[in-house]
Amino acid sequence: MRKLLLLLFLPTLMLSQNQPKIGLVLSGGGAKGFAHIGVLKELEKSGLQVDYIGGTSMGAIVGGLYASGYSANQIEEIVLNTDFVTLLQDKISRREKALFSKEHGEKYAITLPIKGGSIGLPLGLSKGQNVLNYLTELLAPVDEINDFSKLPIPFYCIATNIETGGEEILEKGSLPLALRASAAFPSLLNPVEINGKLLVDGGVVNNFPVDIMRKKNLDLIIGVSVQGQLLKREELSSIASLLMQIVNFQMYKKSDEQTRLVNVFLRPDILEYSVISFDKKGEIIGKGIEKAKTYKVVFDSIAKLQLHKKKRPVLKLSKEKFQIDRVIIKGNKNYTINNILGKLQLTEGDSVSYKDISKKINTLTASKNFKRVDYHFEKSFQGKRLVLTVKEEEIQSYLRFGLHYDLLYKSAVLLNYNYKKLFLQNDELSVDLGIGDKIRYDFQYFVDNGLAPSYGFKSRYNTFNSDFLFDNNLINIRYADFSNAFYLQTTMDKKFAIGVGLEHKNIKVSSENILTSGQETVFDFSNYVSGYSFLKLDTYNKRMFPTEGFYADIGFKWFVWSDRNHRLSKLAVGSDPFRQFSQVKGTLGFATTFYKKLTFQYISEAGFTLGKKSSQMFDFRLGGYNQNYINNFTPFYGYDTGALNDQSFLRSEFNFRYKVFNNYKHYATFIANYARVEENVFERGSLFDNTKSGYALGYSVETLIGPVELKYTWSPDHSKKYWLFNLGFWF
C-alpha cells in the first residue's frame, strides 16, 4: 500500500521546478546492518542519487563510507575481506607489541584493572582502537574534511551521551571518531570522549534517526531498518533476555515513530540473524538486495526525476607512501615524546602509508598506556604533518592471574601485579608470584626510554626437584636459584634488542637421599657475580604454537667472582673450587606454515664453556620439556630433566604441527630432536659423533588459560618412555 501511495505521489514531484532531493536513513543493528549494502547496490543500479545520508551505529558506518565516496560494491568488498571478530576484540599483532610485553606479558588468563585501590572491571570488552584505526585508514581520502556537510554526500550520525542520556548529533570533527562513537555498543566497545562528552552507541536513544533528516529540507526520505523485534514470551528464558527486552522497549517504540516519517520504508527479512552474525555477512547483504529488488519500480521512477546528477568521485583506499616532515603530539602528560616516538618507531623524514601508521599506533595501544590514539594529517610543503592526539590511560595498575601444571613444578597459581609510572614517566613494574607446590617469583622493573637507551632491574627466585647425574651417580636434587641483575638495553623496531648487564646469583644445590642419616648433602651454596651481554630477536606471531616468524636469543656471560672457595669446607666431599670462566649460549628458531594447516618450526641451540672447568654447577643440562628452566637447563625430548650434561652442547629440534580443525585451535604434533653433549663438541672435528636423539608425539589445544598439551616421548638410545603433560602458560 505504501509503495502504491508513493507512486501516486511521484507526479507531484515531477511538477516541481527543482530536482527532488533524496535523503537516506540507515538504522543500527550490528552485523545485520550489512543489509544496507545490498540496498545501496540496488539504488546504484537504478541510477538513484542520494543527496543526504544519516545513520546510527552500523548504519552510520555504512552510510559514512558511502557519503565519503566509496561505491556500494567497494563497501561490500571491504566488509567481505574484514575479520570483524578480530577487529572488535582489539587483537593486535604480536609483532606490534614491545619486546618487554612479549617477554613478560603473555602468560595470564585474566587481567583486571585496579581503580582507587579496588579491583574493577573494564568499561568494555574492547577499547575499539582497532576499529578506529581501520576507519581512519578507510577514510584517509577525506581526512581533511571536518564538516560532514562538505563530504561528497552530506552526512550525519547519532551517538548517546552516557552521562545525560541525551542524543548527540555528530556533523563535524573527525569522521572516523564520530563513526566509532556512534557504533560504541555498550559493554562491547568502550565509550568515546568527543568535546568533553562521553558517548556510546546512538541506538540507545535514536536507532533510526529519520526525524533529524526531516529537518534537512529534503523532498523524499528513504529509510532502511534492520533492527529486531521484541522477544516473545517463550524466548524470555534468562536474565540477559529480560534485560535486553527492557532496553529494547524504548528503542523500538521510538523507531516505530520514526518509521511513520519516511516516504519509502524497507525492512530486510533478517530476523534469523543477530547483531553478532559476522560470519553470515554475505547472506545478510543478499537479504538487503532481495528486499530492495521489490522496490525497483519505485527507485527507477525516482531516478528518472533526477535529471541533473552529480558525478560521484572514484574513491580508493590510499596505499601510497608519503613523507612525514613533522610529528606533533598532543595530550601527553605522563609519557615523554621520546617514549611515544620510540614505540611508534617513527622519526621526521620517514615515508609511511596510512596502513603503516595504523600498525605503529597498534604499538602504542599494546602498551596499555593510552585509552585512545587519534591521528590525522595536515598538508605541508614537503609532505604531510602528522598530528597525534593521545588520551592517556588513567589506570596505572593491573592484577593478572594465570594457572599452570606440569610434572616438574606441579601445580601453581600465578598472581601478577603490574604498575606503571611508579617512579618515572616511562617505567613499568611487574611482579609475578607463583603459589603452589614450588613457590617462585619474578620481579621486573624497566624504564623504557624509547629511542634513547633503556634500563632495568630484575630479580627471580626459582626452585624444583629432579633426578640429576652428579659424578656418574643419579641423585634426587633440590635446585634453588636466586638471581638479581641490572642491565642496559637498546630496542629497535619492537623486535630486536641488544644490551649489557651485571648479575648476582645465589645457587643452592642439595640432596637428602645420599646419607643414611637423612642429613642434607650440599653440593653448592654460593654466590656468583658475572657480567653479561645479550642480543634478542622475536618476530614470532604467537608465543605458543607460532606459525611464522623468527626468534634469536644469544648471550655471553663472564663469571668473575664467587665465594665458593670460602665455602668448600661446608660442601660435599670432592666439590671443585671456583675459577673464572665464561659461557656462550644461543637459541635460533623460525616457523613457517604450509597449506594453512601444517606448521614447521625449527629450533637450534648451542652452548660452550670458555676457560678451565671449575664445577658441575654450570654444566649444560639437557632433558625434559619444561619451557621455564633456569641457568643452563634446556629441554630435550626422550630424556629426563638434566639427564645429559657437560661443558658444551649442540641441539636441533624439528617440530611439525598440524591444525586438526579449521575453527578450533587443536594441533597434532610430531617432534624430533638431536643433540651432542660433551666437554668440547668441537674438539674431535666432527659435530655428529655420539649424537643423542629423542622423539615425541602429542596433541595440544589452545585455551583461555593457555595451552593444554599431552605428549608421549621416547629415545632409541634407551628403553625408558615418558608421558608429558602441561596445563596453562609457562611461568
Side-chain angles (χ1 to χ4, degrees), residues 674-715:
Y674 306 91
R676 187 171 174 225
V677 186
E678 294 188 5
E679 184 173 346
N680 186 346
V681 292
F682 303 104
E683 190 174 36
R684 298 180 185 176
S686 175
L687 298 179
F688 303 103
D689 288 351
N690 196 28
T691 298
K692 307 297 182 182
S693 62
Y695 305 89
L697 284 172
Y699 194 87
S700 307
V701 182
E702 287 187 75
T703 69
L704 175 66
I705 61 173
V708 179
E709 303 174 276
L710 180 64
K711 294 174 183 172
Y712 175 72
T713 176
W714 73 96
S715 171

Side-chain angles (χ1 to χ4, degrees), residues 184-226:
F185 190 85
S187 77
L188 178 61
L189 295 174
N190 280 8
V192 174
E193 185 177 334
I194 299 180
N195 298 328
K197 299 175 182 178
L198 197 61
L199 307 180
V200 297
D201 196 302
V204 176
V205 290
N206 195 348
N207 199 45
F208 193 30
V210 183
D211 55 339
I212 309 301
M213 188 67 77
R214 273 291 170 196
K215 300 174 184 178
K216 303 296 182 183
N217 297 319
L218 299 163
D219 298 299
L220 189 145
I221 298 175
I222 300 171
V224 186
S225 175
V226 294

Side-chain angles (χ1 to χ4, degrees), residues 78-246:
I78 290 169
V79 165
L80 294 178
N81 292 329
T82 300
D83 183 350
F84 284 91
V85 175
T86 299
L87 202 65
L88 290 171
Q89 289 177 341
D90 251 359
K91 286 187 176 181
I92 297 172
S93 168
R94 187 173 185 270
R95 291 173 178 171
E96 308 306 322
K97 295 181 180 179
L99 201 61
F100 186 84
S101 297
K102 293 178 184 178
E103 290 185 300
H104 307 292
E106 298 182 328
K107 49 193 173 185
Y108 313 107
I110 300 173
T111 299
L112 298 175
I114 299 176
K115 304 175 183 178
S118 301
I119 298 176
L121 294 173
L123 290 174
L125 296 177
S126 166
K127 288 184 177 181
Q129 184 67 52
N130 276 358
V131 175
L132 182 59
N133 288 354
Y134 191 45
L135 289 172
T136 304
E137 282 182 50
L138 293 174
L139 297 168
V142 294
D143 68 348
E144 296 178 4
I145 298 177
N146 297 318
D147 184 343
F148 304 166
S149 67
K150 299 293 192 293
L151 290 168
I153 300 176
F155 172 77
Y156 69 86
C157 62
I158 304 298
T160 302
N161 189 320
I162 195 62
E163 294 180 283
T164 65
E167 175 184 275
E168 298 289 342
I169 305 170
L170 304 178
E171 297 180 286
K172 292 185 178 181
S174 165
L175 180 57
L177 194 59
L179 300 183
R180 162 70 177 84
S182 183
F185 190 85
S187 77
L188 178 61
L189 295 174
N190 280 8
V192 174
E193 185 177 334
I194 299 180
N195 298 328
K197 299 175 182 178
L198 197 61
L199 307 180
V200 297
D201 196 302
V204 176
V205 290
N206 195 348
N207 199 45
F208 193 30
V210 183
D211 55 339
I212 309 301
M213 188 67 77
R214 273 291 170 196
K215 300 174 184 178
K216 303 296 182 183
N217 297 319
L218 299 163
D219 298 299
L220 189 145
I221 298 175
I222 300 171
V224 186
S225 175
V226 294
Q227 66 184 29
Q229 295 179 348
L230 293 174
L231 298 175
K232 298 178 181 178
R233 178 183 296 185
E234 57 272 16
E235 295 174 312
L236 298 171
S237 56
S238 65
I239 294 177
S241 62
L242 287 173
L243 291 175
M244 186 60 70
Q245 186 85 330
I246 293 171

Side-chain angles (χ1 to χ4, degrees), residues 426-439:
N426 307 327
D427 69 6
E428 182 171 352
L429 170 72
S430 178
V431 182
D432 284 341
L433 178 62
I435 303 173
D437 293 290
K438 301 294 179 184
I439 294 178

Side-chain angles (χ1 to χ4, degrees), residues 334-349:
N334 297 304
Y335 296 97
T336 64
I337 291 177
N338 261 344
N339 176 274
I340 295 173
L341 291 177
K343 283 184 167 53
L344 286 173
Q345 293 292 309
L346 183 67
T347 56
E348 293 177 355

Side-chain angles (χ1 to χ4, degrees), residues 338-559:
N338 261 344
N339 176 274
I340 295 173
L341 291 177
K343 283 184 167 53
L344 286 173
Q345 293 292 309
L346 183 67
T347 56
E348 293 177 355
D350 287 350
S351 292
V352 297
S353 66
Y354 276 85
K355 196 169 190 67
D356 293 336
I357 291 294
S358 287
K359 289 182 178 180
K360 291 177 181 295
I361 287 176
N362 278 341
T363 306
L364 290 182
T365 306
S367 71
K368 298 184 178 179
N369 296 337
F370 306 95
K371 285 183 178 179
R372 194 180 77 232
V373 182
D374 305 332
Y375 69 92
H376 69 275
F377 292 95
E378 298 174 353
K379 287 184 178 180
S380 60
F381 292 108
Q382 296 181 346
K384 291 190 178 184
R385 182 185 302 115
L386 172 62
V387 180
L388 201 70
T389 304
V390 298
K391 180 71 175 177
E392 292 184 351
E393 178 60 74
E394 297 170 358
I395 298 171
Q396 295 178 300
S397 56
Y398 296 86
L399 190 61
R400 302 186 284 198
F401 303 89
L403 184 68
H404 185 81
Y405 177 84
D406 66 74
L407 299 177
L408 181 67
Y409 288 95
K410 306 301 180 182
S411 60
V413 173
L414 176 64
L415 302 178
N416 171 267
Y417 179 71
N418 182 269
Y419 195 99
K420 297 184 178 183
K421 296 178 290 186
L422 181 63
F423 301 115
L424 302 171
Q425 285 184 324
N426 307 327
D427 69 6
E428 182 171 352
L429 170 72
S430 178
V431 182
D432 284 341
L433 178 62
I435 303 173
D437 293 290
K438 301 294 179 184
I439 294 178
R440 53 195 191 272
Y441 82 86
D442 187 8
F443 175 97
Q444 299 282 340
Y445 177 75
F446 184 63
V447 180
D448 186 354
N449 289 322
L451 298 175
S454 304
Y455 59 91
F457 172 78
K458 57 185 178 181
S459 177
R460 181 177 181 180
Y461 176 77
N462 193 310
T463 180
F464 58 83
N465 290 75
S466 189
D467 292 334
F468 294 146
L469 200 63
F470 271 89
D471 294 322
N472 297 318
N473 295 310
L474 192 63
I475 305 171
N476 185 266
I477 293 293
R478 182 178 184 272
Y479 195 105
D481 177 281
F482 173 56
S483 299
N484 303 278
F486 175 80
Y487 61 96
L488 300 171
Q489 104 176 18
T490 297
T491 305
M492 288 162 276
D493 199 21
K494 307 176 292 294
K495 58 190 176 186
F496 179 81
I498 186 170
V500 296
L502 186 67
E503 182 179 59
H504 161 264
K505 279 184 177 291
N506 178 271
I507 294 178
K508 183 176 182 181
V509 182
S510 61
S511 177
E512 296 182 352
N513 67 344
I514 296 179
L515 301 177
T516 56
S517 61
Q519 293 181 343
E520 182 182 49
T521 300
V522 179
F523 295 92
D524 196 7
F525 191 14
S526 308
N527 295 290
Y528 297 87
V529 174
S530 64
Y532 69 96
S533 59
F534 59 88
L535 182 152
K536 298 179 180 179
L537 171 71
D538 189 350
T539 68
Y540 278 157
N541 62 336
K542 296 164 61 180
R543 183 187 184 196
M544 302 298 299
F545 313 123
T547 58
E548 60 182 10
F550 295 88
Y551 179 84
D553 187 357
I554 301 171
F556 171 81
K557 279 190 178 182
W558 180 20
F559 290 85

